[in-house]
Amino acid sequence: DSGVTQTPKHLITATGQRVTLRCSPRSGDLSVYWYQQSLDQGLQFLIQYYNGEERAKGNILERFSAQQFPDLHSELNLSSLELGDSALYFCASSVAFGGQTGELFFGEGSRLTVL
Amino acid sequence: AQSVTQPDIHITVSEGASLELRCNYSYGATPYLFWYVQSPGQGLQLLLKYFSGDTLVQGIKGFEAEFKRSQSSFNLRKPSVHWSDAAEYFCAVGDPGGSYIPTFGRGTSLIVHP
């Protein structure tokens, strides 16, 4: 158990819909990262938040957005969903900036299926 | 920008045999290097990391990796594989001069035969 909690574990929805994925980081971790894992793209970095502020952006679509709340939990919002958005979405956390400590702690992921 | 190549999509070994998973990176200087493992239905877990110093790094679960600057490689090894090692293995590179955020390779799936 990494200490990172993601909900829901599975989500099935239709094209055009909007979903919200939630992540609670490990106790004490200030950084939250979102990754998308798909068969064709592999593990792609989406976005990072540190203590409530956006720190880095990766390959995140404009239809996607995220935020980190004062209690440090984070939400990833996916809107106008397309079939290609079906993937496993991981949240990870670290104490500071991940590479400085050398370790990201990953949740078990939220599997999104868009029909 | 940094990148990582894991040339083997699948590797099959017999239980008890030795293992080497390949990883090549592209980066202008010495990057931060990581190996993560993903067991079925689980998130990724860090096996080991290299920042600087001794180029042979020991990790958890009996794994080790060797950083070879001349070959831009960071191959993962284990002398004797156990059936429980069957999983997906990801090499990752971080930019010590930038955001530190790991960029992951596509992964190598390890299959262990009894």
Side-chain angles (χ1 to χ4, degrees):
Chain A
D1 183 4
S2 67
V4 178
T5 303
Q6 289 188 248
T7 57
K9 290 191 184 304
H10 302 276
L11 190 56
I12 301 174
T13 189
T15 54
Q17 295 299 304
R18 171 190 170 95
V19 298
T20 297
L21 309 180
R22 181 188 169 100
C23 170
S24 294
R26 284 190 327 155
S27 177
D29 283 358
L30 299 178
S31 267
V32 170
Y33 310 75
W34 287 97
Y35 281 84
Q36 179 193 58
Q37 186 180 39
S38 62
L39 283 176
D40 55 342
Q41 295 291 326
L43 198 61
Q44 296 284 313
F45 167 67
L46 296 179
I47 197 165
Q48 178 205 7
Y49 279 81
Y50 176 73
N51 204 20
E53 300 287 327
E54 181 185 306
R55 287 289 306 190
K57 258 185 174 179
N59 301 318
I60 188 166
L61 300 173
E62 286 192 9
R63 299 184 285 108
F64 296 180
S65 65
Q67 54 184 326
Q68 185 179 28
F69 295 86
D71 67 353
L72 300 178
H73 91 272
S74 178
E75 293 180 356
L76 179 66
N77 301 295
L78 315 175
S79 62
S80 302
L81 286 168
E82 303 175 358
L83 296 178
D85 298 327
S86 295
L88 189 55
Y89 291 84
F90 282 110
C91 171
S93 72
S94 68
V95 172
F97 306 128
Q100 289 181 322
T101 64
E103 183 165 9
L104 301 187
F105 293 88
F106 282 80
E108 294 185 359
S110 293
R111 183 168 294 283
L112 172 66
T113 302
V114 182
L115 301 177
Chain B
Q2 67 266 29
S3 65
V4 179
T5 302
Q6 294 181 247
D8 303 306
I9 298 175
H10 303 282
I11 290 278
T12 300
V13 299
S14 297
E15 192 169 15
S18 63
L19 170 71
E20 182 169 28
L21 302 182
R22 297 183 291 165
C23 172
N24 293 96
Y25 68 87
S26 174
Y27 183 70
T30 299
Y32 292 163
L33 294 162
F34 312 89
W35 275 99
Y36 281 81
V37 61
Q38 182 182 21
S39 298
Q42 301 294 314
L44 281 72
Q45 179 186 19
L46 182 70
L47 283 175
L48 47 80
K49 62 188 178 187
Y50 173 79
F51 281 6
S52 64
D54 192 346
T55 57
L56 186 62
V57 179
Q58 301 298 319
I60 63 171
K61 304 185 180 186
F63 286 92
E64 67 178 26
E66 186 172 12
F67 169 59
K68 292 186 178 180
R69 185 191 309 275
S70 61
Q71 299 176 21
S72 297
S73 69
F74 189 57
N75 294 348
L76 182 71
R77 300 194 295 249
K78 186 170 185 178
S80 178
V81 170
H82 188 263
W83 64 266
S84 60
D85 293 324
E88 191 85 14
Y89 291 81
F90 293 91
C91 182
V93 58
D95 176 7
S99 68
Y100 304 100
I101 296 167
T103 297
F104 287 86
R106 295 299 299 270
T108 297
S109 177
L110 175 63
I111 301 164
V112 180
H113 281 171

